[in-house]
DNA sequence: CGGTACATTGAAGGGGCTCAATCCACGTGG
DNA sequence: CCACGTGGATTGAGCCCCTTCAATGTACCG
């Protein structure tokens, strides 16, 4: 048997978490190994099943390895708000992981693979690999920033702007983990769920999507979104800032 | 001169940050000292002035010592969304502190005192006091959770529910730092700003407040909010969960 | 005493919701 | 192989909450 090429040579073989973190902070081989070690115990969850249920206790921090999920809450009268979409490489259980019971439910949008990180490992990480811990810390900051951006969406943007912004954010996030090409991707959710995420009714989401199609900004065929005019869409959604692109660790953290 | 009583005996002499963190994790005297040391360089910001301006670079993590502030963004066409209210003991600059430029602006609602924590100190904290770092980490989780709750507010609650929820959240947070008594507090912002926070027009905020007054749930006189029927208000706002009360460090973290 | 900032209230209008019907793609079992 | 069932997309009618615009009131301050 000849020497095997290093596995990390092919980006598709890197787990999504490592891939995501490596975008911003260069990781040493040792750190990559630690990350890989964190994601040992995996478990499969079927579509439409809860990965975590609000109010229940749960084991620790989870990482989504494969598939997609949504974080949501339903109010007493049945209204539902989707807080965000969870993609491979994202943590599940933040911000809830420091509470004694889950604050929100997480449901699988497709068949998913998740991996649990016990609290004990996490604490050890804080002490043994402060730089890695800081990087994870920082990825939580990104998540908080996405909540804030989502809030602006729902609070101050029209239906068309919201949908446009939503499609762009998904494009950017999926590209970051290699699940979208230059301008298209597979939509992981239904229009009803988009409505619950953007606080719009299903008919309104449909209407907004049709408008975007008629304006030749996007095309959607069979759940595949194709961005036809990125510039136009970004202008409409006030996405010029492309805040996701500005996700860069402050200099002091990347060194040290 | 006789022996002086320990300063920490009087809770009013403890800085708000320590007071906030001590609610959940008991801090050693050494850790209290470290926290105090972090908040050395203070600076005063006048009412209506920006503490941090969106897009600008800035020094590090700030802590609000005194007064109140708001985190906001204005869109190109002038619409403004207030993301949250910053109270004494809260960090300013999260989640932005890990980005190279500020994501949002922070404006002082009254004359405020802030203190800067240089990045270098923060990194040292990660290594020398992992338990303290974890506690701060956790306080960020609370903040993210408040964003999520705010999102549900704006997305799925009616005007009355939103205002009720907003008043209750403020009560809870102000009580935590000793700035509200059992059922009343001084409102730190105008109705216009409440509208920008809850994505409501000023007339609607006013209307909702009047309804709450007419239903004898609250009384407001001269900017002072008096909760007259906490139960009723909580029921209306779906605040039963009192999520802020569930802010408890997971057991593993409190020990260690 | 005038001026500014904020609160209050009303009239008119629109964007999005609810309710409901229809359509389409797909899988499944008879 | 086709009828049927199901989940999702599409589209329309009527309505309501909330917005915009505007006027007025009121407290405080220089």
């Amino acid at each position: 048997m000849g020497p095997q090429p290093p596995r990390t040579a092919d980006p598709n073989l890197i787990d999504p978490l490592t891939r995501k973190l490596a975008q911003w902070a260069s990781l040493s081989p040792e750190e990559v190994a630690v990350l890989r070690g964190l994601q040992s115990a995996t478990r499969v969850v079927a579509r439409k099943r809860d990965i975590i249920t609000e109010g229940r206790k749960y084991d620790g921090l989870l990482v989504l390895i494969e598939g997609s999920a949504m974080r949501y809450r339903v109010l007493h009268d049945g209204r539902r708000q989707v807080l965000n979409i969870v993609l491979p490489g994202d943590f599940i259980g933040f911000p809830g992981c420091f509470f004694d019971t889950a604050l929100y439910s997480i449901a699988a949008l497709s068949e998913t693979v998740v991996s649990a990180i016990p609290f004990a490992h996490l604490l050890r990480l804080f002490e043994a690999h402060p730089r890695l811990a800081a990087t994870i810390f920082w990825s939580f900051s990104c998540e908080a920033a996405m909540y804030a951006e989502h809030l602006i969406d729902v609070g101050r943007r029209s239906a068309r702007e919201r949908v446009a912004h939503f499609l762009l954010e998904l494009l950017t996030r999926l590209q970051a983990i290699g699940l979208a090409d230059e301008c298209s991707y597979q939509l992981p959710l239904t229009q009803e769920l988009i409505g619950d995420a953007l606080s719009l009714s299903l008919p309104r989401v449909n209407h907004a999507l049709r408008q975007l199609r008629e304006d030749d900004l996007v095309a959607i065929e069979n759940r595949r979104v194709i961005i036809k005019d990125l510039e136009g869409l970004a202008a409409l959604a006030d996405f010029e800032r492309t805040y996701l692109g500005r996700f860069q660790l402050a200099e002091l953290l990347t060194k040290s």
Side-chain angles (χ1 to χ4, degrees), chain A:
Chain A
M1 288 193 277
Q4 294 188 344
R7 300 200 101 199
T8 52
D10 181 353
N12 290 321
L13 291 180
I14 303 181
D15 61 279
L17 174 59
T18 304
R19 182 159 183 168
K20 205 180 78 169
L21 295 182
Q23 280 193 298
W24 302 289
S26 62
L27 302 172
S28 72
E30 188 201 348
E31 287 170 332
V32 171
V34 170
L35 274 179
R36 184 174 301 259
L38 279 180
Q39 311 169 61
S40 45
T42 66
R43 158 180 143 227
V44 175
V45 179
R47 179 176 137 89
K48 296 215 172 182
R49 278 281 152 66
D50 270 4
I51 300 174
I52 289 177
T53 301
E54 183 193 341
R56 295 272 198 72
K57 282 193 174 297
Y58 58 102
D59 23 338
L61 197 59
L62 300 175
V63 178
L64 184 63
I65 308 284
E66 216 184 297
S68 56
M70 61 168 179
R71 178 174 284 111
Y72 70 97
R73 152 91 55 88
V74 337
L75 302 189
H76 49 60
D77 60 357
R79 285 173 294 184
R80 177 173 59 179
Q81 176 68 47
V82 170
L83 295 166
N84 59 11
I85 307 299
V86 185
L87 299 178
D90 288 343
F91 289 98
I92 301 176
F94 175 80
C97 62
F98 293 103
F99 297 77
D100 48 354
T101 65
L103 288 173
Y104 310 106
S105 299
I106 318 268
L109 294 173
S110 61
E111 176 155 308
T112 60
V113 179
V114 299
S115 166
I117 302 179
F119 278 128
H121 286 212
L122 205 60
L123 285 174
R124 228 176 295 145
L125 187 74
F126 262 85
E127 285 160 27
H129 300 275
R131 221 180 126 262
L132 201 51
T135 308
I136 291 175
F137 196 136
W138 159 84
S139 94
F140 285 171
S141 297
C142 292
E143 189 147 331
M146 282 194 292
Y147 277 119
E149 210 67 27
H150 196 162
L151 182 58
I152 295 170
D153 247 21
V154 169
R156 287 287 180 234
R157 288 195 245 254
S158 71
R160 284 175 76 222
E161 292 171 320
R162 280 184 227 187
V163 173
H165 192 267
F166 182 81
L167 293 179
L168 285 175
E169 175 166 325
L170 225 41
L171 175 72
T172 312
R173 290 178 63 199
L174 286 170
Q175 282 176 341
I177 50 173
L179 291 180
D181 57 32
E182 189 57 42
C183 66
S184 82
Y185 58 90
Q186 207 65 29
L187 199 60
L189 27 68
T190 69
Q191 294 187 358
E192 183 180 11
L193 286 176
I194 297 178
D196 281 344
L198 302 180
S199 299
L200 294 170
S201 64
L202 195 160
R204 198 111 277 274
V205 173
N206 190 289
H207 188 65
L209 282 172
R210 180 155 55 90
Q211 282 186 321
L212 294 180
R213 250 181 289 134
E214 284 172 354
D215 293 351
D216 244 0
L217 295 170
V218 302
I220 302 177
E221 20 190 79
N222 200 20
R223 282 287 179 89
R224 184 157 198 90
V225 175
I226 301 159
I227 310 291
K228 296 182 71 174
D229 181 357
L230 195 116
E231 294 298 316
L233 211 55
L236 173 63
D238 199 24
F239 199 74
E240 339 138 4
R241 60 187 71 253
T242 56
Y243 69 101
L244 287 173
R246 289 201 293 156
F247 278 9
Q248 294 176 30
L249 271 175
E251 278 190 25
L252 271 164
L253 276 181
T254 52
K255 298 166 188 174
S256 105

